[in-house]
Amino acid sequence: QTVVTQEPSLTVSPGGTVTLTCASSTGAVTSAFYPNWFQQTPGQAPRPLIYGTTYRHSWTPARFSGSLLGGKAALTLSGAQPEDEAEYYCLLYYDATWVFGGGTKLTVL
Amino acid sequence: EVQLVESGGGLVQPGGSLRLSCAASGFTLSSYAMNWVRQAPGKGLEWVSYISSSSSTIYYADSVKGRFTVSRDNAKNSLYLQMNSLRGEDTALYYCARVAGRDFQHWGQGTQVTVSS
């Protein structure tokens, strides 16, 4: 069974920078996994942030960026805002299935 | 404006069945593949099923294979999830999501399914 692993929790200071990662139990994550990133706040549906590893949606603030880093998919937040406090999920594609990471609880403090 | 509205959730006994619907508006459903994703209370997201725009390709997560059936009626702008042999672990908020390629670009607000006696 494929497992996608994210940091359970991270803390960033307002205005600071933080990187969330997304690892695959099958090995290195590449662009072929089409990494997606989502933000979810309590009581709300997931909000898409990044697709295809690096592409922002039209509504995604420029302070969010996606990349591949050390064999993982990565989401970097530069200049954290209080409203960025949320749960973040990555999603990877595996040839006819998709697997979500367990989520990272990001605290802006 | 793209809108996805799920319905059909509710309370069902273990072993029972339920049919979820997802009504699409603001775009042509026949042009897009769709997915179902669920989230158990207090837990993370779990991908459930994929259906291509023409229904020619369908995938399921192992956890629901053989019990759930995804379908769509493009003429009615609707996506469906028939859920049979329901278990307690199927209790979750069920979302439909529009996909472009591998981009999960639009999500509904979800419909709650509770499996309990």
Side-chain angles (χ1 to χ4, degrees), chain A residues 16-54:
Chain A
T17 296
V18 64
T19 296
L20 290 64
T21 67
C22 176
S24 172
S25 63
T26 63
V29 175
T30 68
S31 59
F33 288 77
Y34 297 94
N36 279 235
W37 289 92
F38 305 91
Q39 178 192 63
Q40 189 178 36
T41 52
Q44 298 298 312
R47 176 192 182 205
L49 291 177
I50 299 288
Y51 65 98
T53 307
T54 62

Side-chain angles (χ1 to χ4, degrees), chain A residues 93 95-98, chain B residues 32-35 47 49-60 70-72 79 102:
Chain A
Y93 174 69
D95 188 25
T97 65
W98 280 265
Chain B
Y32 292 90
M34 299 292 292
N35 283 266
W47 171 77
S49 182
Y50 163 93
I51 183 168
S52 64
S53 58
S54 64
S55 304
S56 60
T57 301
I58 288 174
Y59 305 135
Y60 297 101
V70 63
S71 63
R72 61 193 295 160
L79 172 73
R102 306 286 182 252

Side-chain angles (χ1 to χ4, degrees), chain B residues 6-97:
Chain B
E6 302 90 339
S7 61
L11 175 63
V12 60
Q13 292 189 339
S17 298
L18 215 51
R19 188 195 197 204
L20 305 184
S21 299
C22 170
S25 61
F27 68 100
T28 303
L29 183 65
S30 60
S31 297
Y32 292 90
M34 299 292 292
N35 283 266
W36 287 99
V37 176
R38 68 185 181 183
Q39 187 168 32
K43 302 296 185 182
L45 300 169
E46 179 188 14
W47 171 77
V48 173
S49 182
Y50 163 93
I51 183 168
S52 64
S53 58
S54 64
S55 304
S56 60
T57 301
I58 288 174
Y59 305 135
Y60 297 101
D62 287 344
S63 58
V64 307
K65 203 171 293 182
R67 300 187 300 122
F68 290 11
T69 301
V70 63
S71 63
R72 61 193 295 160
D73 186 335
N74 289 335
K76 294 184 177 179
N77 290 318
S78 292
L79 172 73
Y80 306 102
L81 187 67
Q82 177 67 43
M83 304 185 296
N84 299 331
S85 303
L86 283 162
R87 308 166 180 167
E89 54 263 38
D90 296 318
T91 294
L93 187 60
Y94 284 74
Y95 296 101
C96 61

Side-chain angles (χ1 to χ4, degrees), chain A residues 38-93:
Chain A
F38 305 91
Q39 178 192 63
Q40 189 178 36
T41 52
Q44 298 298 312
R47 176 192 182 205
L49 291 177
I50 299 288
Y51 65 98
T53 307
T54 62
Y55 298 96
R56 293 187 198 92
H57 291 279
S58 58
W59 53 80
T60 303
R63 60 183 180 274
F64 290 95
S65 62
S67 65
L68 295 175
L69 196 64
K72 301 177 184 180
L75 176 71
T76 299
L77 171 58
S78 302
Q81 302 296 310
E83 61 265 30
D84 298 329
E85 184 162 297
E87 193 84 22
Y88 291 83
Y89 293 94
C90 67
L91 174 65
L92 301 180
Y93 174 69

